[in-house]
Amino acid sequence: MSNLIRRETGHAVAVQEQVGQYLTFLVGTESFAVSILDVKEIIEIANVTRVPLTPDYIHGVINLRGSVVPVIDLSARLSRHCSEVSKRSCIVLVAVETSEGSHLIGMLVDEVREILEIPPANIQPAPDFGTDIRTDFIQAMARVDDVFIILLAISRVLSLDELSLLSDLAQSQEHLIAASD
């Protein structure tokens, strides 16, 4: 982080330019990123239990140290095809804040790339594509060298109604796991 000094009415004021750190990953051939502050853990694909009667983008649930965590197929959620799990696929666990508190959600991605430090000067607002594309999932666009990376708005990738569905799903799965022990 760099400190910039600017003069206002004769007083020196220190202003910090915040360089954000972002975890970058691939979904298909596209580069996406989320703030490293939202990422709790990155895990290999574990035994994912499919849950009947859920939307296609809900890949299933995993048992993470005794807690049931829903896993979202990010490709399907972004209105693309369902991901095909490969050796490079993994689950990025993120914390999503709602009025009810923090929820741990897994995002199935095709490949985790790296953590990048991106200065604010390289981040631009999401472009307006019109009404055919859900731009509410896009927080901003980051330019790194000559490549654009889509910064996802994690809190909007799932609507509150969908988070409620996931919470109900996790609770019902916890009851099933407890009953089978």
Side-chain angles (χ1 to χ4, degrees):
M1 290 188 219
S2 63
N3 285 330
L4 303 175
I5 304 291
R6 88 181 160 197
R7 304 259 177 220
E8 290 182 11
T9 62
H11 296 93
V13 179
V15 177
Q16 282 196 342
E17 181 181 307
Q18 297 288 333
V19 174
Q21 291 188 327
Y22 296 88
L23 175 71
T24 61
F25 51 87
L26 293 178
V27 175
T29 59
E30 294 180 86
S31 293
F32 292 90
V34 294
S35 170
I36 198 70
L37 299 175
D38 292 329
V39 176
K40 298 304 175 198
E41 194 172 345
I42 301 168
I43 61 174
E44 292 181 9
I45 300 291
N47 293 332
V48 178
T49 303
R50 298 284 302 157
V51 180
L53 306 175
T54 56
D56 289 342
Y57 62 83
I58 297 179
H59 190 70
V61 294
I62 59 171
N63 181 350
L64 182 68
R65 296 181 286 281
S67 295
V68 176
V69 177
V71 177
I72 305 307
D73 182 337
L74 195 55
S75 180
R77 182 66 181 133
L78 297 173
S79 299
R80 291 161 175 80
H81 59 80
C82 290
S83 292
E84 290 193 29
V85 176
S86 71
K87 291 182 201 176
R88 294 182 182 206
S89 299
C90 59
I91 298 172
V92 177
L93 296 170
V94 295
V96 179
E97 299 296 326
T98 67
S99 59
E100 299 172 359
S102 181
H103 295 271
L104 194 61
I105 307 283
M107 295 188 311
L108 175 63
V109 300
D110 293 322
E111 180 181 344
V112 169
R113 302 297 291 220
E114 62 186 323
I115 295 174
L116 292 177
E117 290 188 354
I118 304 174
N122 292 17
I123 298 176
Q124 301 170 4
D128 184 13
F129 291 106
T131 58
D132 293 341
I133 297 175
R134 287 196 66 171
T135 56
D136 58 326
F137 287 174
I138 302 173
Q139 178 181 336
M141 301 293 292
R143 186 178 182 132
V144 178
D145 298 323
D146 288 332
V147 177
F148 278 106
I149 298 171
I150 299 169
L151 304 182
L152 289 177
I154 282 301
S155 63
R156 290 182 290 219
V157 171
L158 299 173
S159 74
L160 293 179
D161 290 339
E162 289 160 335
L163 281 175
S164 175
L165 168 70
L166 292 175
S167 177
D168 293 345
L169 171 69
Q171 288 175 358
S172 67
Q173 291 298 315
E174 282 177 354
H175 293 298
L176 288 175
I177 288 172
S180 66
D181 287 342

